[in-house]
Amino acid sequence: MTLAASQIDSPVVTIFLPLALAVIMFGLGLTLTIADFKRVAKVPKAAIIALAVQILVLPAICFGLVLLFALPNELAVGMMLLAAAPGGTTANLFSHLAGGDVALNITLTAINSVLAVVTLALIVGLSVAYFLDGDENIGLQPQKMLQVFAIVLVPVAIGMFVHARYSAFAARMERPVKIASVAILVIVVVLALIGNFEALSEHVLTIGAVALLLCSLSLAIGYWIPKLAGVQRRQAIASGFEIGIHNSTLAITIAISVIGNEEMAIPPAIYGVLMYLPAAVMLRLLRRHESVEA
């Protein structure tokens, strides 16, 4: 089901979604410095393993899940789009509560947000080629990549500039922007679900199962692969939440505003609601393990 032009051109799609994502990415930029990008040199093993899992392993797992559950083609592309999205700022909160290396979280989010401009185009392009027979009207063509660059990296860069130039103002704004980001996430998810109620009601159980499995597996492999590779526990925790909790708002915005297909926004919208369940379970397990070790 492809959207009619009137739906694509609605103010919610053309104005609110990109603006909402810009606020979230600006808030991310307020927490970043150039040192966050340089920090990867101090923990190269943890960062490289986490990025490899995020970019290579996770899309492969997601691809297997959408085939296993036989998701309809456009929903399958939407799920792959979500898997390609970088970690969200919520990952930092869960990592902090679990005793993870939040500095590594911030570093991974920063690097992933930059790499996403390329990795999103690659994974979405391959997904469209496989599930939609390479439909030239769907995907992230070069001109659409400029839109992704504008709504992802430009607000981050502005936020970083404000942080560097007006640190006191950035510190005051950090909490209000975080609150606004949570509110925006809720609004975006609700709008995406309401706007696709028919497709949602038909496939909600299947998409929900895939979303829960993807999140659970992402959290598990994000933690255990670095842990088994000899990465410190705090860094493995950071990796687990960074890989397991995605920026669903980014995926929704790209699906609707850039690609122009609301049905593809359903999987990230459902994921944005359900991801807190496996994340809370993992948080509980990690804290229980920590108390046993203590």
Side-chain angles (χ1 to χ4, degrees), residues 37-281:
F37 291 89
K38 294 180 178 178
R39 193 181 293 117
V40 68
K42 298 180 181 179
V43 285
K45 184 177 181 180
I48 290 172
I49 291 174
L51 290 171
V53 173
Q54 171 84 37
I55 295 171
L56 301 175
V57 179
L58 191 55
I61 290 175
C62 184
F63 181 70
L65 287 174
V66 298
L67 291 181
L68 178 64
F69 283 82
L71 280 183
N73 291 337
E74 290 181 333
L75 296 177
V77 175
M79 191 63 74
M80 294 300 296
L81 171 60
L82 171 71
T89 53
T90 309
N92 300 353
L93 173 60
F94 275 100
S95 181
H96 169 70
L97 294 174
D101 186 345
V102 179
L104 177 60
N105 276 105
I106 294 172
T107 298
L108 292 173
T109 301
I111 295 174
N112 264 326
S113 296
V114 174
L115 294 178
V117 176
V118 176
T119 56
L120 277 168
L122 178 61
I123 292 175
V124 170
L126 292 173
S127 301
V128 168
Y130 184 87
F131 292 106
L132 298 172
D133 297 324
D135 189 339
E136 294 182 357
N137 296 318
I138 301 177
L140 293 179
Q141 294 86 14
Q143 68 273 21
K144 292 184 178 181
M145 285 305 301
L146 292 177
Q147 289 180 255
V148 176
F149 177 86
I151 64 178
V152 174
L153 296 186
V154 172
V156 171
I158 294 173
M160 290 180 65
F161 173 80
V162 172
H163 183 143
R165 197 70 179 270
Y166 309 101
S167 57
F169 172 77
R172 291 196 305 271
M173 288 298 297
E174 187 173 335
R175 180 175 173 79
V177 171
K178 281 184 178 179
I179 295 173
S181 298
V182 172
I184 287 168
L185 172 61
V186 172
I187 293 171
V188 168
V189 168
V190 169
L191 288 175
L193 295 178
I194 291 176
N196 294 274
F197 183 77
E198 182 180 345
L200 171 65
S201 59
E202 184 178 354
H203 302 290
V204 62
L205 293 179
T206 304
I207 301 171
V210 175
L212 281 173
L213 276 173
L214 178 63
C215 187
S216 300
L217 290 172
S218 300
L219 289 164
I221 65 172
Y223 174 77
W224 280 109
I225 288 181
K227 193 81 164 56
L228 294 173
V231 170
Q232 294 181 2
R233 185 174 185 272
R234 291 184 65 245
Q235 295 172 347
I237 291 173
S239 172
F241 284 112
E242 190 67 29
I243 291 168
I245 300 179
H246 295 272
N247 189 337
S248 56
T249 308
L250 172 60
I252 293 169
T253 305
I254 290 177
I256 298 177
S257 297
V258 180
I259 297 177
N261 189 298
E262 276 195 359
E263 194 166 353
M264 289 182 187
I266 297 176
I270 292 179
Y271 181 95
V273 174
L274 297 181
M275 68 180 183
Y276 293 99
L277 298 176
V281 171

